[in-house]
Amino acid sequence: MLIELKDVRKIYKVGVERIQALDGVSLEVRENEYLAVMGSSGSGKSTLMNILGCLDRCTSGQYLLGGHDTTRLGSSRLAQIRNEQIGFVFQSFELLPRTSALKNVELPLLYSRKQGWWNRRKLANASLERVGLAGRIRHRPNQLSGGEKQRVAIARALVGGPSLLLADEPTGNLDTKTSEDILALFDRLHEEGQTIIMVTHEEDIARHAHRVIRMRDGKIISDEKQTGRKPA
Amino acid sequence: MSGTIWLPIRILLLILQSVWLALGQIWSNKIRSALTTIGIIIGVASVTAVIAALSGLKASVLTEFESIGTTTIFAGPDLPREGKFRNLPWHKIQFEKKDLENLLENCPSLEVYTPATWRSTSVRYGEQTVENMLIRGINNSWHKIENRSVIDGRPFSIIDEEQGWQVCLITEEVKKELKLDKDCVGQEIQIDGRSFRIVGVVEERISAFDMGRSKAEVYIPYETEWKLWRNHPVILAKAKKPEVAEEAREELRFYLRKCKGLKPGDPDLFRIETVEQVLRQFEKVSIIITTIATGVVGISLLVGGVGIMNIMLVSVSERTREIGLRKAVGAKPSAILLQFLVEAVILCFFGGLLGVLGGQGMTSALARIPNAHLDKAYIPMWAIGLAFGFSALVGIIFGMFPAAKAASLDPIEALRHE
Ligand SMILES: Nc1ncnc2c1ncn2[C@@H]1O[C@H](COP(=O)(O)OP(=O)(O)O)[C@@H](O)[C@H]1O
Ligand SMILES: [Mg+2]
């Protein structure tokens, strides 16, 4: 089992108000699953993704990643896990401005314990090639289209060979045509063995996944396998 | 995967990487970075220039004293500043001629001594008169003490000294001022209306304390000075070796107290100075100046450091999203801390570098000021090391807070930052 969430809760305190963003979420995800998380705005999807991505800690409950409990780990250890095991794709790309696509993709390797600088360029190039951007390595973010930017971001997420690819509304800022390209890329990555968890609130997009969970008010209200998948 | 890289190498790589990132960051904010470091530049430049000037001055003074020798001792009458002897009339404390007669027997550590006087008066040769010419009464042993020999003619003889003959030695400068002939030995000049025969010319010594000009001085035997003008002497003496200079000084003090009939507990009615002492005083003064300069520099480095801190805080706030992203892809807090700390240190280091260059420029300018005795001014290596060390320290101290702030940012919050 790649992911095990056990009764995870997340409470935000804003002033005196307590917001229960996750209210007892339990979830198991196996290797090479392709999972879509759906739900209306404010239902806790991003909170869940941040916890899965070790960007945030839950208030109570337990999160096992690859069988290891992450709940008690310090921020350095979590950083290392993010670096080695997780690739995160954001809705707004989050590329460094004035920095080439190649340098952006190299970024996670800068903080890797395992990769020396001698491997960086090679790995980044391979990753860009994998997302179909071999011809754009010298471009800066402001010279790329929205779809290309998101591909660079995906290449960056993949460059360290993560066991888990997380994408929080990866097509939220893209038009339909470009979104389809990105989803086709995800389908292909999944076929290559990548575990993917993707947040979306469009049924059309969720149809690419093998399994869909729906959330409301911080709870999982349904969890079903999809059979009639849209062909890539 | 190639396995985990050995920790020290990883740290080294991380530092190199931080340096590289910092250089890029500084380069992309050139003007801002330059303005930020001005405080440091000025601080470092002024301290290195002050240290350079002092080192130069010290070198000049040392050469000066080395030529006189560290064995020279001076003793002259002096009133104590307090106590019952404070208001003694001058004639009670001045040295008597007879006091000097047994000096060498009583001070075994002294090699030679001379009674000495100086005063200025008018000197005439033919139509040419010079007012305020320095007249020094000396004995032959003076040449040995001050290490200045007679280059033309002869020094005073025993007969000159015992009989108090009206003979004199002059310096080259006197020749010029009195418009004497080139070969003036044997000619007569008028000192205070009395005729003196020139018997020789004393070699010049240009002293750092004379603003680089050679001095017009006329020397006459001390005995003559006494006979004609009743001028009481001070003592110039030379210890046998530098190691016994202090002993010689004590012997002289003991002897002079005996001459003055001083009882135990009475203060000295004279002052004894050695070159060692003067050197030590100079040393003291230069330490004081260095301390003050260091203080001033400390303040300007502080101001510079606050500037660095300010700009680093601005930088952290501007780059909050970038920091969030770096953390999201796996940068540990320590890596972020290092990155910003290195950036602050490099900024300060550049400041230090430009400061040292500026200080070198100021030093070269100082060295060119005529007659200021700073031609030997140089920035010693330790000062350069100190400048860089301090700059780096300022960078670490004032960069720490912004860097820690960056390191402690929460990745999600940071990524949400507008
Ligand atoms: N940092 C935060 N501070 C306070 N409340 C938050 C914070 N982040 C999220 N929330 C709240 O938690 C709930 C879930 O948010 P989120 O997970 O972003 O929802 P979604 O991604 O499904 O739209 C919302 O009510 C939101 O207002
Ligand atoms: Mg969301």
Side-chain angles (χ1 to χ4, degrees), chain B residues 53-66 282 373 376-378:
Chain B
L54 278 175
S55 310
L57 204 56
K58 196 144 98 189
S60 297
V61 170
L62 279 177
T63 11
E64 178 81 9
F65 279 117
E66 262 154 27
F282 177 82
H373 299 288
K376 288 206 179 82
Y378 70 101

Side-chain angles (χ1 to χ4, degrees), chain B residues 193-208:
Chain B
R194 291 171 195 273
S195 218
F196 279 75
R197 188 160 49 86
I198 300 169
V199 294
V201 178
V202 174
E203 86 182 285
E204 307 243 14
R205 166 129 322 136
I206 297 170
S207 157

Side-chain angles (χ1 to χ4, degrees), chain A residues 12 14 19 21 40-48 169, chain B residues 413 416:
Chain A
Y12 289 111
V14 181
I19 297 163
S40 57
S41 185
S43 59
K45 307 181 296 292
S46 292
T47 307
L48 176 65
E169 304 199 41
Chain B
E413 300 271 312
R416 216 175 274 152

